Amino acid sequence: MSVRHALLALLSEGPKYGLQLRQEFEARTGEVWPLNVGQVYTTLRRLERDGLVESDDDGTEEGPQRGFHITPEGEAELATWLRTPPDMTSPPRDELVIKVLVALALPGVDVRDVVQVHRRYVVELMQQWTRLKEDAPEHDVGFLLVVDAELFRLDSVIRWLDAADGRLARLAADAKDAPEPAPAPSLSPRLRRRVGMRR
Amino acid sequence: MSALELRGVSKVYGDGPTEVHALRNVDLSVEAGMLVAVMGPSGSGKSTLLTIAGSLEVPTSGEVLVDGVPVANMSRNDRARLRRRSIGYVFQDFNLLAGLTSVENVALPLELDGVTAKKARVAGMHALEELGIGDRASHFPDELSGGERQRVAIARAVVGDRHLLLADEPSGALDSVNAEAVIRLVRAACQRGVAGVIVTHDAQLASWADRVVFLRDGRIVDQTMPPPGPESLLSPGATS
Ligand SMILES: Nc1ncnc2c1ncn2[C@@H]1O[C@H](COP(=O)(O)OP(=O)(O)OP(=O)(O)O)[C@@H](O)[C@H]1O
Ligand SMILES: [Mg+2]
């Protein structure tokens, strides 16, 4: 999350003080992203330097009492940022994928058991998030959206684990039928790098 | 005493070379007020577990107890009454009666139970409204979308004074907003003391349950631990 753009968004509603910005940021993100005062002031100074916000007074006063407003350049920057898709082309180094791949390569490890351990852990995490969602007031949309995002992210992990499990089950069934041992799974160097595996 | 208990339940379909072990020695108990979710791949025995829990089918071995009473010891009549009065069942393919409107489908179990037609209708309407399909009350099942049909089936299962709510893929035909409305209704029933079991592929739906049980090849292979308080998610550094 870009603190810079979050502050611009808050200022686009009207002029605000530094302290107020911090409180509102935390309230809007359902207090899931704590922010320290230092971060707020550093970011505001950079925004000011870049001409995206201006301080309401002559700059003699520092600290929580200093007010800021957004400039037209700031508004334009915010509008562009909102519509610019974040970079999702290169997947993050996914530790879970790596663990399952390693389990696949190790003799004597039941990969499906490894998958189940992770599946249970992720479902337990989802239970906790869902509890939060259940108890949250309906009007707290910001918080509910944050929780939904987390639930969908974890859900996609479960789906991947389920798909992996399905493939492994089919592989095991085929191996039982076929007299030949199934060839050892291998990954091209390019793919290895893509999932972040080191040799 | 558990509202529902399965003890060493096994189910074998067919015999000889076509024999299928759908369930193998399953133990499961669900307290009143608890919601349990059953997850597992297709063919792992989820629906079989549910039909046996709902006494729609008999286990090959093992026993099922509802409110501490073994179902196998009940008379045919008692078992029929148990199914009608105490168990709300949502079938994977909904099982609505084609000749009845939505609200009539929902009200039917209440009427069969001796509630006046008028009262049953009011309760039925209320459940439909809660699921956002009050305006479809006088439609027949073949005039409803898949998701609407599913919600009618849910409404029918939660109306009245049930002890046990059994739902097979209750969100299969629903988008996430409607799936959430459905599961909130199920949770509300559990908060009134109903014991619930839902079968689902959907981890988001399952995560509403107090406990999630994982089936594989007819066996319970794992289950979630009671979750710690959600506060742990909000401690600084828990999310990055
Ligand atoms: N009436 C039946 N006769 C024979 N075999 C059956 C019968 N009902 C179910 N089975 C078999 O028992 C196994 C378990 O079926 P079940 O319907 O419980 O699976 P499930 O976990 O609900 O799957 P899905 O997620 O696809 O609904 C399957 O292999 C199925 O083919
Ligand atoms: Mg099924």
Side-chain angles (χ1 to χ4, degrees), chain A residues 92-94 98 101-102 187-189 191-199:
Chain A
R93 199 180 126 113
D94 191 327
I98 295 168
L101 290 179
V102 169
L187 271 185
S188 74
L191 259 179
R192 277 173 190 277
R193 273 197 305 278
R194 200 160 165 81
V195 298
M197 268 185 123
R198 309 260 146 83
R199 294 249 191 192

Side-chain angles (χ1 to χ4, degrees), chain B residues 17-93:
Chain B
T18 60
E19 187 174 277
V20 177
H21 289 259
L23 288 180
R24 301 167 195 257
N25 198 21
V26 166
D27 293 315
L28 178 72
S29 79
V30 187
E31 313 297 317
M34 287 272 281
L35 180 62
V36 171
V38 179
M39 296 190 79
S42 186
S44 59
K46 304 182 297 295
S47 295
T48 305
L49 185 155
L50 213 63
T51 50
I52 289 175
S55 78
L56 297 166
E57 253 186 290
V58 288
T60 308
S61 61
E63 59 177 352
V64 179
L65 295 86
V66 174
D67 292 329
V69 182
V71 172
N73 297 355
M74 293 181 185
S75 68
R76 258 178 93 91
N77 271 346
D78 285 351
R79 214 172 319 167
R81 191 167 51 212
L82 174 80
R83 280 202 300 265
R84 196 173 64 231
R85 180 174 291 188
S86 307
I87 302 180
Y89 203 102
V90 183
F91 292 87
Q92 195 162 9
D93 50 8

Side-chain angles (χ1 to χ4, degrees), chain A residues 116 120 124 127-128 130 134, chain B residues 187 207 209 222 225 232:
Chain A
Q116 176 55 32
R120 165 150 71 90
E124 285 171 348
Q127 284 177 293
Q128 290 178 265
T130 301
E134 188 173 20
Chain B
R187 286 288 294 182
S207 70
D222 202 7
M225 298 294 140
S232 63

Side-chain angles (χ1 to χ4, degrees), chain A residues 24-77:
Chain A
E24 289 188 12
F25 177 87
E26 294 196 354
R28 302 288 172 87
T29 56
E31 284 160 39
V32 178
W33 283 301
L35 193 63
N36 69 49
V37 193
Q39 258 175 305
V40 174
Y41 291 115
T42 318
T43 310
L44 280 171
R45 264 197 297 277
R46 287 201 194 121
L47 287 169
E48 199 176 9
R49 180 198 64 200
D50 298 343
L52 303 178
V53 306
E54 277 166 4
S55 145
D56 286 341
D57 43 48
D58 49 21
T60 48
E61 220 169 346
E62 263 296 336
Q65 289 314 314
R66 200 160 159 222
F68 290 89
H69 63 263
I70 192 166
T71 63
E73 291 76 18
E75 297 277 10
E77 166 67 22

